[in-house]
Amino acid sequence: MRIKISADSTCDLSPELIETYNIGITPLYIEKGGQNCRDGMDITPQEIFDYVRSGKGVCRTAAVNVGDYTAFFKKCRENYDAVIHFNISSDFSSCYQNACTAAAEFENVYVVDSRNLSTGIALLVLDAAERAEKGGDPKEIAALMRETAEKVEASFVIDTLFYLQKGGRCSTLAALGANLLKLKPCIEVKDGKMGVGKKYRGKIDNCIAQYVRERLQGRDDLRRNRIFITHSGCAPEIVENVKAIIKECGGFDEVLETYAGCTVSSHCGPNTLGVLFVRK
């Protein structure tokens, strides 16, 4: 069977990985100054940061609608025997619900709630693409990915709570307190929801280094085939240090660096970095 693997733009795969694995992408929407822009197509994260810094306001995100999903699945089914589509966690967005509504109109379109965001989704997407390439059954692949979703570890250290606060995902009081104390909180995804983990203090480069070590050091419960470093424009030296720490902590067969897309960047802001991987 010819199986098309696809995902919401929130998977934060690089253009190179999208091309290599032939991944279809359904873009979410970013509202900036009264204009609706498609994530990764009509707007970039840097444009979001520049807009916020200008003082004109903040950007809002909106789900892929049923019509967009219907058109996308229709086109895929004209060329493929089956489609496996991955959504951002249903607790973050109505994308999953909308995709399921659209998929009901077609045969062999399987929608997977990733229970995750960013390259936490991408880990599932690439796993599914590799299994599809080997001739796996689409229904079985989708079912296995739903199980694997519970083993994905996704977390990020953020430099500022300003974007989360303006987006309504963090109180003004919490953001003010974190800024006054120079705290860099770790945002964790657990059970499909975002929560605050450990709070680091100090310069962002030192906080990120400490965070990566604590995530990986002494772990024997990890699948060592692939890890993502995903960030929203961190300095190259910070990213290189993260790669060195990953190697120091046992390493992975494949270390992939990607940039956070517009949807994730609009909530987390610049200088955010996370390491994302799968447990055994």
Side-chain angles (χ1 to χ4, degrees), residues 258-273:
T258 69
Y259 291 89
C262 294
T263 302
V264 172
S265 293
S266 68
H267 291 296
C268 292
N271 296 320
T272 294
L273 184 143

Side-chain angles (χ1 to χ4, degrees), residues 1 26 58 67 69 107 109-110 126 143 146-147 164 198 200-202 204 207 241 247 264:
M1 294 182 71
T26 51
V58 295
Y69 281 126
E107 291 184 358
V109 175
Y110 303 92
L126 297 192
R146 292 185 187 104
E147 293 178 10
L164 284 173
K198 182 172 180 177
Y200 298 91
R201 176 182 277 182
I204 189 63
C207 292
N241 189 44
K247 185 176 182 180
V264 172

Side-chain angles (χ1 to χ4, degrees), residues 32-100:
K32 180 175 80 73
Q35 292 183 321
N36 270 329
C37 307
R38 292 168 297 175
D39 183 359
M41 300 176 70
D42 306 321
I43 188 171
T44 65
Q46 189 58 52
E47 288 174 322
I48 292 173
F49 300 151
D50 292 343
Y51 181 76
V52 173
R53 288 192 189 105
S54 74
K56 295 178 181 178
V58 295
C59 296
R60 307 290 180 182
T61 61
V64 184
N65 58 55
V66 175
D68 286 351
Y69 281 126
T70 300
F72 177 79
F73 293 151
K74 182 176 184 295
K75 186 175 181 180
C76 287
R77 285 294 283 113
E78 289 171 355
N79 299 290
Y80 292 87
D81 301 308
V83 182
I84 305 174
H85 184 79
F86 292 84
N87 290 111
I88 185 172
S89 173
S90 56
D91 283 291
F92 299 151
S93 167
S94 60
C95 283
Y96 175 69
Q97 180 181 347
N98 293 347
C100 287

